[in-house]
Amino acid sequence: SESANPLLWEIARADGPDAGKVEGWLLGTIHALPDNARWRSGSIDRAISDADILAVEVADLGDGRAMASAFLPLAFSAGQPPLTARVPVEQRQRLTELVDESSYRLEDFSRIESWGAALILAQTVRTDTDIGNGIDRELIRDFGRSPIPGL
């Protein structure tokens, strides 16, 4: 079984009498994983069991319109350098090939943030991952006992 390593950040008070008090956790989820991928660890399980609430980027992952409305306003920024200039030199040829394999042109990414371009291009790559195995989806299932706000 493959292993995934999502990032887990502790959110704590910075100052005042409760400085250092843990207020919550931020889990950098992976949205698509192979079947049987293992991503849970003891510290992630403890953070989940201690949590009173789960907030996610988009609560209804089946709602394409909500996903697009969350993605689009953040993904576009004027003045982006060419997409190929945003990756190391040794990866530029592969990036160009990847764009050529998609329905996009390099110029289409002139106003799209790098993370947005990565998400768009990731959809064009055939892998053994499945969005049904995403960490966000599993967390939503785990927290089904309470309302889950979308950010």
Side-chain angles (χ1 to χ4, degrees):
S1 156
E2 293 192 35
S3 152
N5 187 15
L7 298 176
L8 179 66
W9 291 275
E10 179 181 272
I11 302 170
R13 292 208 175 258
D15 55 14
D18 289 331
K21 179 182 176 194
V22 175
E23 296 289 328
W25 299 92
L26 177 65
L27 181 63
T29 59
I30 302 168
H31 300 294
L33 291 168
D35 291 339
N36 302 316
R38 294 175 302 155
W39 59 270
R40 288 190 182 254
S41 66
S43 51
I44 289 174
D45 285 341
R46 280 188 296 283
I48 291 169
S49 69
D50 290 348
D52 297 323
I53 189 170
L54 170 69
V56 294
E57 290 170 300
V58 177
D60 183 359
L61 295 174
D63 183 349
R65 181 170 287 158
M67 301 271 290
S69 68
F71 172 82
L72 290 174
L74 300 172
F76 288 90
S77 294
Q80 296 295 314
L83 189 58
T84 53
R86 297 184 243 166
V87 299
V89 172
E90 64 273 8
Q91 295 178 1
R92 291 178 182 169
Q93 179 63 37
R94 179 61 188 125
L95 173 62
T96 301
E97 292 167 0
L98 181 59
V99 172
D100 288 345
E101 294 167 14
S102 75
S103 60
Y104 298 94
R105 297 170 302 134
L106 282 170
E107 300 79 39
D108 295 333
F109 297 97
S110 64
R111 294 183 52 237
I112 298 177
E113 295 271 346
S114 298
W115 65 267
L119 287 176
I120 291 168
L121 291 172
Q123 295 176 16
T124 69
V125 176
R126 296 195 188 281
T127 67
D128 64 345
T129 62
D130 181 349
I131 60 169
N133 298 331
I135 294 172
D136 46 357
R137 291 176 190 273
E138 187 169 331
L139 289 172
I140 289 169
R141 284 191 297 270
D142 286 354
F143 277 82
R145 65 187 184 272
S146 60
I148 300 171
L151 302 175

